[in-house]
Amino acid sequence: MAAGLIRTVKATSRTVHEPPDLIERLRAQVPFIMAMWHGQFMMLADLNTREFNVSAMVARHGDAEIMAHVLKKFGISAIRGAGAGRRKKNRGGVYALRAAHHALEQGTIVAMTADVPASKPRVAGDGIVTLARLSGRPIIPVAAATSRYAVLNTWSKMTVNMPFSKLAVVGGDPIFVAADADDAAMEKARLAVENSLNAVTARAYALAKQSDQQASDAPLAL
């Protein structure tokens, strides 16, 4: 049902992307780390035409199992594990980091949420910048928003996008982390990811609310 809803939203919505050459810019950076916020990723599952291999970092709990099955419908494999978060529990984060690093080495795009579950939403964690430092691959913040949506009462304010909308997908500039980055440089990179994700998310919602006459009918596929 979830996969069907995503396809229906995509099929019935007018799509605009920013910058206009977003797809070409993403292709030029493959393999890259696609960053998103928890709760704002529903329509990003359809950014895959099987042109490139894509893996997504997915937690090991029951709800995440459902998400893994949904992603599989779009040809996206799952890397199971997540950061410890404020509870400091072993949630397979080390395994997931190694698996994601290996996937990038093999030319696979790795998609992951920047914020850590059960922590403050929309605050980037250290995991995503650590992966960028180890792999040498860029982080590209991406956000998608629709003019019609529902917000669930969850810690991340999970957004369910609705059909017959205007769909906006926005990408930020690549963020690289040097292999020899010290603590100060890592914190600077973490803040850059956080600020860029907030910016592209706000921009996606702003575009989605604009007049449909300003939207492009060109489909978005990656």
Side-chain angles (χ1 to χ4, degrees):
M1 290 177 62
L5 176 59
I6 292 169
R7 291 191 175 105
T8 300
V9 173
K10 183 68 177 294
T12 62
S13 299
R14 296 172 59 87
T15 303
V16 59
H17 38 97
E18 188 175 277
D21 61 345
L22 173 62
I23 302 308
E24 289 74 16
R25 293 191 184 200
L26 293 178
R27 287 192 176 112
Q29 296 294 341
V30 173
F32 58 87
I33 304 162
M34 186 168 73
M36 64 200 77
W37 285 138
H38 262 93
Q40 301 294 315
F41 49 66
M42 179 174 149
M43 294 311 300
L44 296 178
D46 200 26
L47 289 177
N48 176 31
T49 63
R50 294 24 171 207
E51 180 181 355
F52 302 106
N53 291 327
V54 181
S55 292
M57 200 173 292
V58 179
R60 293 177 172 179
H61 55 71
D63 290 345
E65 186 68 27
I66 297 173
M67 178 57 65
H69 283 289
V70 172
L71 293 174
K72 188 175 180 180
K73 297 289 185 180
F74 295 95
I76 301 173
S77 60
I79 296 172
R80 305 307 298 269
R86 66 185 181 187
R87 296 172 185 172
K88 304 302 180 183
K89 291 183 178 180
N90 181 2
R91 303 169 64 236
V94 173
Y95 164 79
L97 181 65
R98 290 174 178 170
H101 187 193
H102 178 71
L104 289 165
E105 288 183 325
Q106 299 302 308
T108 297
I109 298 168
V110 171
M112 63 184 293
T113 53
D115 44 351
V116 180
S119 63
K120 188 175 180 180
R122 302 197 180 186
V123 173
D126 297 326
I128 193 165
V129 291
T130 298
L131 178 59
R133 178 176 61 81
L134 293 173
S135 66
R137 301 311 304 156
I139 300 166
I140 303 182
V142 181
T146 49
S147 53
R148 301 177 66 248
Y149 59 90
V151 180
L152 303 184
N153 186 26
T154 62
W155 75 275
S156 64
K157 303 299 182 184
M158 174 70 187
T159 299
V160 179
N161 304 101
M162 299 296 185
F164 304 103
S165 295
K166 179 178 173 183
L167 169 63
V169 182
V170 179
D173 292 330
I175 298 170
F176 288 87
V177 182
D180 60 350
D182 59 14
D183 290 347
M186 292 289 282
E187 175 61 11
K188 183 178 179 180
R190 188 197 68 78
L191 285 173
V193 172
E194 185 174 301
N195 292 335
S196 183
L197 265 177
N198 282 330
V200 297
T201 300
R203 181 57 179 162
Y205 277 98
L207 284 174
K209 292 177 182 178
Q210 288 180 5
S211 169
D212 282 352
Q213 292 181 352
Q214 298 180 29
S216 169
D217 289 316
L220 177 64
L222 175 66

